[in-house]
Amino acid sequence: MASFRGRSIVSIRDMSQDDLIKVVCTTEDVKRGDLTGFLNGKTVATLFFEPSTRTRLSFESAVLKSGGSVFGIANPKASSQSKGESFADSIRTVSGYCDVLVIRHPVEGAARMASELTSIPVINAGDGANQHPTQTFLDLFTIKESFGRLDNLKIGMMGDLKYGRTVHSLANALAMFSNELVFISPPSLQMPGHILKELDDGNIRYRNIADLEEAGTLDLDILYVTRIQKERFGDPLEYKKVAGVYRVTQETIDALGKDIRVMHPLPRVDEIAEEVDTLPNAIYFTQAHNGIPTRQALLGLVTGGLE
Ligand code: NCD
């Protein structure tokens, strides 16, 4: 396993199975409360060029809880990019102010580009419809916490599989363990061909279906629900055609089986009814809260504060 010290976290594709296990195990140690103060003296910048609630705030909370300092921009209009400064110049500048850069950007590949412009670790907090590796780490941690394992699971991913970056990263990660994937989406929002090809190359079992009802016959362990990514549609009419296509209710849970766990990276729009929130099946708020120890663990590993 490559050391995490000094390493950028850009894509799950850059990770080995050992890397994923290392992050999940370190997160377990952090959540147990065994590790403290490991970011003492470290400064983290959060540069968010796209909206965020959970990712940015949980990163900031993670830094503070681990003894570090954090600053950043939450609104690109408040940065010099609105004066015409290039992304590259912003990165070159801010990387001299901090020990780690956390970046969210609407352009695919932006985090990779940033990581090539600086010698400090860059953490991708979402680049367009491409990848969202830190969400995947917290998803894996939550799965391990619920099931005690990361393999031999049957996982349904539902909703916008074309533009949803969380499911792209998660599919890459789950494919490194022995799992079966079921992709539930309208035909126009299916998992991109390049990811399906990677699954084919790795002999991963998966299928594409369009009906949530059909999922009821498949004995899923997890239903991972996603929002239709309205902001990524070029044509608002295309969005209207698929908006509201799936809705998980108490009835859905009854049909999927009483042991199903429902996950969601959040924010939700209308794809999970609030009546589901209080069922033992709903683990999406626990999942969101797991963002804190996960991001603490990642920051600790890339700064060398944790080994
Ligand atoms: C996700 C994202 O930004 O990709 N949100 C998050 O980070 N938890 C999912 C989404 O916006 O739908």
Side-chain angles (χ1 to χ4, degrees):
M1 180 185 55
S3 164
F4 274 91
R5 191 188 196 118
R7 188 166 159 192
S8 289
I9 310 291
V10 172
S11 170
I12 292 294
R13 286 198 192 86
D14 303 334
M15 305 278 155
S16 65
Q17 192 203 56
D18 280 351
D19 289 337
L20 302 185
I21 291 170
K22 173 76 182 167
V23 175
V24 170
C25 291
T26 308
T27 304
E28 283 168 353
D29 294 342
V30 171
K31 188 164 178 176
R32 217 181 293 119
D34 293 353
L35 305 165
T36 54
F38 49 83
L39 292 181
N40 279 343
K42 299 290 182 194
T43 303
V44 177
T46 55
L47 302 186
F48 277 62
F49 298 99
E50 261 194 347
S52 170
T53 300
R54 273 150 292 273
T55 306
R56 186 173 62 80
L57 296 180
S58 67
F59 257 113
E60 296 189 356
S61 174
V63 175
L64 298 171
K65 279 176 187 284
S66 319
S69 316
V70 61
F71 68 93
I73 51 166
N75 173 6
K77 291 200 181 82
S79 82
S80 281
Q81 292 213 359
S82 65
K83 298 185 195 166
E85 182 171 60
S86 70
F87 175 70
D89 280 357
S90 300
I91 298 304
R92 287 188 191 103
T93 305
V94 180
S95 61
Y97 301 160
C98 58
D99 301 293
V100 182
L101 267 177
V102 179
I103 297 181
R104 170 169 287 189
H105 200 282
V107 175
E108 297 187 16
R112 176 82 64 203
M113 180 185 171
S115 72
E116 287 164 0
L117 289 165
T118 172
S119 57
I120 65 169
V122 171
I123 299 185
N124 183 5
D127 62 324
N130 185 29
Q131 285 267 318
H132 194 347
T134 71
Q135 177 70 42
T136 293
F137 286 122
L138 76 89
D139 293 342
L140 292 178
F141 174 77
T142 305
I143 292 170
K144 173 93 188 305
E145 198 175 45
S146 291
F147 292 89
R149 63 183 196 276
L150 289 171
D151 58 0
N152 291 311
L153 294 165
K154 201 167 180 185
I155 300 128
M157 298 187 196
M158 183 174 84
D160 188 344
L161 308 185
K162 179 180 181 185
Y163 296 117
R165 53 196 173 197
T166 63
V167 281
H168 299 164
S169 296
L170 186 59
N172 287 143
L174 291 171
M176 287 188 224
F177 301 86
S178 181
N179 291 303
E180 194 177 333
L181 306 177
V182 178
F183 300 129
I184 309 155
S185 73
S188 62
L189 295 179
Q190 280 181 1
M191 192 58 92
H194 66 94
I195 294 184
L196 298 182
K197 180 167 183 309
E198 284 165 6
L199 299 178
D200 287 333
D201 292 347
N203 287 321
I204 307 303
R205 283 203 293 168
Y206 72 87
R207 70 175 91 180
N208 290 301
I209 63 173
D211 285 333
L212 178 54
E213 287 67 40
E214 195 183 334
T217 62
L218 297 178
D219 204 17
L220 297 177
D221 296 298
I222 298 169
L223 181 66
Y224 190 101
V225 184
T226 63
R227 167 181 77 88
I228 309 287
Q229 308 278 299
K230 184 179 181 184
E231 68 277 23
R232 310 234 185 266
F233 283 73
D235 178 353
L237 287 176
E238 289 302 311
Y239 170 72
K240 278 214 168 124
K241 280 189 201 159
V242 285
V245 62
Y246 301 118
R247 185 165 166 85
V248 177
T249 61
Q250 166 89 58
E251 213 178 305
T252 319
I253 304 292
D254 294 343
L256 289 172
K258 69 173 177 27
D259 292 329
I260 186 101
R261 299 283 194 288
V262 181
M263 298 178 69
H264 193 308
L266 302 176
R268 93 175 122 184
V269 182
D270 52 8
E271 55 279 355
I272 303 181
E274 283 188 19
E275 68 195 19
V276 176
D277 296 359
T278 48
L279 303 177
N281 313 78
I283 57 171
Y284 31 89
F285 288 110
T286 306
Q287 182 187 353
H289 295 152
N290 283 338
I292 303 272
T294 305
R295 291 179 169 122
Q296 285 182 280
L298 274 170
L299 290 165
L301 288 169
V302 300
T303 54
L306 295 176
E307 287 295 337

